[in-house]
Amino acid sequence: MSDPNPDLDPYDFLKITHNPDGSLTRHRPLPSVPATPELATESQLALSKDIKLNTVFVRLFRPVSPPKTATGKLPVILHFHGGGFILFSATSYPFNHACSVISAQSPALVITVEYRLAPEHRLPTAYDDAMEAVLWVRDQALGITGADEWLTELADFSKVYLLGSSSGANISYNVCLRALDLDLNPIKIVGLILNQPFFSGVERTESELRLVNDHIVPLKVNDLMWSLSLPEGSDRDHEYCNPLRDLNESRIEKIRRLPKCLVRGYAGDPMVDRQMEFAKMLEAHGVHVIKKFDHEGYHGVEIFDQQKAQVFYDDVKAFILTSNDTKSTL
């Protein structure tokens, strides 16, 4: 395929510089916001605080006034932010705001993970960091790493969800596959919420070609993100990047054991074809999948469009409410 846009410099598009030592200088990070463990304004949706783990830290959100439930407990959502594995932070404003809203509206305890970024820390580092957070939640439930008072008071550890957008959805999927090998008792991962999952492959899809010069993730930018994220020497058909490629029997057996999944996407996203094929693959292996593909929208639209963001929050809430009914649909 000839270069459709020879003037596009993906480094300039992303406002990054690749340094001689292999690191990135990120020239335009999203604004970061501090945790708010105390009520500061009447309009505040959730309280939040940062907790240091061994390698990374997490930010924990709880509703300001937790609603009364039959058990007095709330589900736990582990959240992983987007950014193509190379950009942004759990403390970046759009993700911090989304976690606050989801915590208040679902309602739920939301734990967002500050995983390490590539290329300084190539995959599978982000998966390793995410798994550290999963195991920390398990240890909190067991009471062997101390007991955070918010989790002790409010967490229903039998209802844990993994939620991510873009590369965060990729992390949620791959980490859940890993978790199937571990004893997570007493916590139980009961659902995956995969919003616009970030996948690619060597062979181009129709949506990638149709949206080759997309204003959010043009194809050259997508390729650059993967080249900076994947293990050295890997191509885009690596299992981290292309889950439809070279599925061996042991991996298929794991996929069959995945919990209920919500897969969301938009027709204006260059990755939408891959996301739809991914959802079909899960269904083909017996996973209960709820598919929500909108004819209007683009990659990361919830950051820019509050109506689309609210639909996303509503989908998360509905998915959690119906998580015990395997025949339910949104």
Side-chain angles (χ1 to χ4, degrees):
M1 173 179 142
S2 60
D3 190 341
N5 191 350
D7 296 327
L8 176 65
D9 180 344
Y11 287 95
D12 182 63
F13 185 94
L14 293 170
K15 306 303 179 189
I16 59 175
T17 300
H18 203 183
N19 302 314
D21 65 357
S23 67
L24 289 185
T25 299
R26 299 162 177 89
H27 297 287
R28 194 178 293 175
L30 291 174
S32 182
V33 295
T36 53
E38 304 292 338
L39 189 63
T41 67
E42 291 185 0
S43 61
Q44 189 172 328
L45 295 172
L47 305 179
S48 61
K49 61 181 172 181
D50 294 337
I51 301 171
K52 183 73 173 71
L53 310 188
N54 290 329
T55 307
V56 297
F57 75 84
V58 297
R59 179 165 289 182
L60 172 60
F61 297 79
R62 57 162 286 178
V64 171
S65 300
K68 300 296 183 183
T69 65
T71 64
K73 303 291 186 178
L74 299 177
V76 177
I77 301 175
L78 273 161
H79 171 268
F80 308 100
H81 69 81
F85 298 108
I86 68 171
L87 297 172
F88 311 138
S89 164
T91 67
S92 297
Y93 172 77
F95 311 122
N96 185 85
H97 176 70
C99 288
S100 295
V101 176
I102 291 169
S103 178
Q105 292 187 7
S106 288
L109 293 167
V110 179
I111 302 168
T112 187
V113 181
E114 179 72 349
Y115 59 86
R116 288 171 289 175
L117 300 178
E120 296 88 346
H121 305 281
R122 289 177 175 267
L123 293 173
T125 300
Y127 305 151
D128 296 339
D129 293 347
M131 183 54 65
E132 180 182 345
V134 171
L135 294 175
W136 175 77
V137 173
R138 179 201 63 184
D139 291 348
Q140 283 285 305
L142 291 169
I144 63 176
T145 54
D148 177 85
E149 63 271 21
W150 292 0
L151 291 171
T152 300
E153 175 191 356
L154 295 172
D156 183 347
F157 292 109
S158 69
K159 295 179 181 176
V160 176
Y161 298 83
L162 304 185
L163 162 64
S165 293
S166 192
S167 55
N170 178 302
I171 292 172
S172 297
Y173 170 68
N174 279 287
V175 167
C176 197
L177 290 176
R178 281 191 179 194
L180 293 169
D181 290 331
L182 303 176
D183 180 6
L184 294 182
N185 285 325
I187 75 169
K188 184 176 181 182
I189 298 174
V190 295
L192 298 181
I193 303 169
L194 308 176
N195 184 42
Q196 307 164 76
F198 185 56
F199 296 128
S200 189
V202 171
E203 185 177 347
R204 305 303 189 186
T205 67
E206 187 279 331
S207 62
E208 287 173 339
L209 297 175
R210 173 170 50 88
L211 298 166
V212 65
N213 292 318
D214 178 61
H215 69 295
I216 299 294
V217 194
L219 196 57
K220 289 172 71 171
V221 169
N222 186 306
D223 290 352
L224 175 63
M225 287 177 162
W226 281 113
S227 73
L228 294 172
S229 303
L230 287 169
E232 294 278 8
S234 302
D235 66 21
R236 292 189 307 277
D237 280 340
H238 191 283
E239 65 183 34
Y240 298 160
C241 181
N242 188 354
L244 304 182
R245 187 79 173 180
D246 297 329
L247 290 172
N248 59 44
E249 186 56 39
S250 64
R251 195 166 179 85
I252 290 172
E253 189 275 332
K254 284 189 184 180
I255 291 171
R256 293 190 184 112
R257 295 163 54 204
L258 287 173
K260 179 178 174 181
C261 295
L262 169 62
V263 182
R264 302 180 80 256
Y266 298 93
D269 183 348
M271 288 168 265
V272 68
D273 285 353
R274 296 191 184 279
Q275 294 158 2
M276 295 177 75
E277 288 302 313
F278 169 74
K280 290 178 183 177
M281 180 272 289
L282 295 180
E283 287 183 315
H285 294 305
V287 180
H288 180 197
V289 181
I290 296 173
K291 295 177 286 190
K292 296 273 291 189
F293 288 94
D294 193 330
H295 294 297
E296 295 182 353
Y298 48 86
H299 197 77
V301 66
E302 297 95 352
I303 294 175
F304 308 98
D305 185 325
Q306 288 307 303
Q307 288 186 328
K308 294 292 188 187
Q310 188 58 55
V311 172
F312 171 48
Y313 305 146
D314 291 344
D315 285 350
V316 172
K317 180 177 181 178
F319 182 78
I320 291 173
L321 287 174
T322 61
S323 62
N324 293 322
D325 180 3
T326 58
K327 295 181 180 180
S328 63
T329 58
L330 291 176

